[in-house]
Amino acid sequence: MDLDPRYQKTQFLTSAALVSQFSQDTGHEVAFAGRSNSGKSSAINVLCQQKGLAHTSKSPGRTRLINFFALDTERRLVDLPGYGYAEVSEAQRQHWRELISDYLRRRQSLRGIVLMMDVRHPLTEVDRLLLEWNKVHQIPTHILLTKADKLSRGAALNTLAALRRELAVAYPTEVDAQLFSSLQRTGLDEAYAQLNLWLGMEPLLGG
Ligand code: GDP
């Protein structure tokens, strides 16, 4: 199995700059987070098998918003604004922190966070901040070490093992990690398995 056809129907729902603009909070939701350029849009597009889906949330004016996508009436994927743009002002950073922490704190339907980290630069300062928030709010987290094709298989596995060791100390139960490449379409089965579990979907049979 590689691509799960049930994700093909995912559609853009709405964008939010404020809690009052969030979509309805029922059913199951999984949010994608990661610093800018971590490969978040590419991962969402590959998983949903639609080239332009998450890049619509990169159009001017949308990059700092929370973007909601619907698989069906009861299941959503959420693209959280990227972080780590060097040129961003302190006021914008503060807005990002407030918007994300509001989202994490209030969202009843949130089942888990997929956190993207470039396999060559895992666990940046803001990644750690997000992991801390998830821990505080008891939100399960699944890390995709993206762009795994940029390293040799051995080096990528070493990075994964080192990350898992560090997570096991700091976040014993709520976090796991895997390798992922949108370019080579590797790691899809594992990622879908986690998404299906969180979204309350049956495993795809016959894969
Ligand atoms: P975002 O800012 O986190 O949404 O990141 P993007 O998905 O836009 O990707 C940032 C850059 O990394 C783009 O130039 C992508 O082409 C590249 N990229 C994304 N995923 C992969 C991958 O799996 N392998 C490689 N080699 N490059 C990737």
Side-chain angles (χ1 to χ4, degrees):
M1 196 276 271
D2 53 352
L3 294 168
D4 186 330
R6 295 171 298 180
Y7 288 78
Q8 272 172 12
K9 289 183 234 141
T10 308
Q11 286 182 333
F12 176 72
L13 199 59
T14 190
S15 295
L18 304 164
V19 175
S20 60
Q21 298 166 341
F22 288 178
S23 74
Q24 62 167 15
D25 193 5
T26 58
H28 304 264
E29 192 164 287
V30 174
F32 290 73
R35 57 175 295 143
S36 313
N37 214 36
S38 61
K40 178 161 59 73
S41 307
S42 303
I44 294 172
N45 289 344
V46 167
L47 288 164
C48 297
Q49 306 145 61
Q50 298 181 44
K51 279 201 170 96
L53 188 69
H55 288 111
T56 53
S57 39
K58 285 193 154 183
S59 56
R62 286 229 171 114
T63 53
R64 295 193 181 91
L65 306 178
I66 295 182
N67 291 288
F68 294 84
F69 299 89
L71 269 85
D72 56 43
T73 52
E74 288 303 303
R75 297 182 177 91
R76 288 174 305 278
L77 301 178
V78 176
D79 189 2
L80 296 176
Y83 43 81
Y85 274 121
E87 71 270 22
V88 162
S89 68
E90 183 47 38
Q92 285 166 332
R93 258 184 249 276
Q94 185 59 27
H95 174 71
W96 178 87
R97 281 193 294 259
E98 282 169 16
L99 184 61
I100 303 284
S101 60
D102 271 351
Y103 173 80
L104 297 176
R105 196 172 56 237
R106 291 161 181 256
R107 205 66 182 158
Q108 298 289 330
S109 55
L110 181 62
R111 297 287 174 269
I113 300 269
V114 179
L115 175 55
M116 247 74 49
M117 300 180 190
D118 188 318
V119 72
R120 296 164 299 174
H121 322 283
L123 285 177
T124 63
E125 200 177 319
V126 198
D127 293 333
R128 289 175 193 277
L129 173 66
L130 206 72
L131 284 167
E132 284 301 327
W133 283 348
N134 292 354
K135 186 173 166 178
V136 168
H137 299 301
Q138 299 183 306
I139 303 165
T141 307
H142 186 76
I143 296 172
L144 300 188
L145 286 175
T146 57
K147 311 188 194 181
D149 57 277
K150 293 270 192 186
L151 296 181
S152 70
R153 179 84 184 145
L157 287 170
N158 283 343
T159 303
L160 177 62
L163 175 66
R164 281 195 169 138
R165 278 196 297 275
E166 190 160 346
L167 295 173
V169 175
Y171 313 95
T173 53
E174 309 93 331
V175 189
D176 196 14
Q178 66 159 100
L179 297 174
F180 191 86
S181 166
S182 297
L183 193 71
Q184 297 190 327
R185 301 190 170 199
T186 52
L188 288 168
D189 290 13
E190 246 181 294
Y192 280 130
Q194 184 63 76
L195 290 175
N196 289 341
L197 200 69
W198 281 341
L199 292 170
M201 288 160 69
E202 296 294 322
L204 197 63
L205 298 175

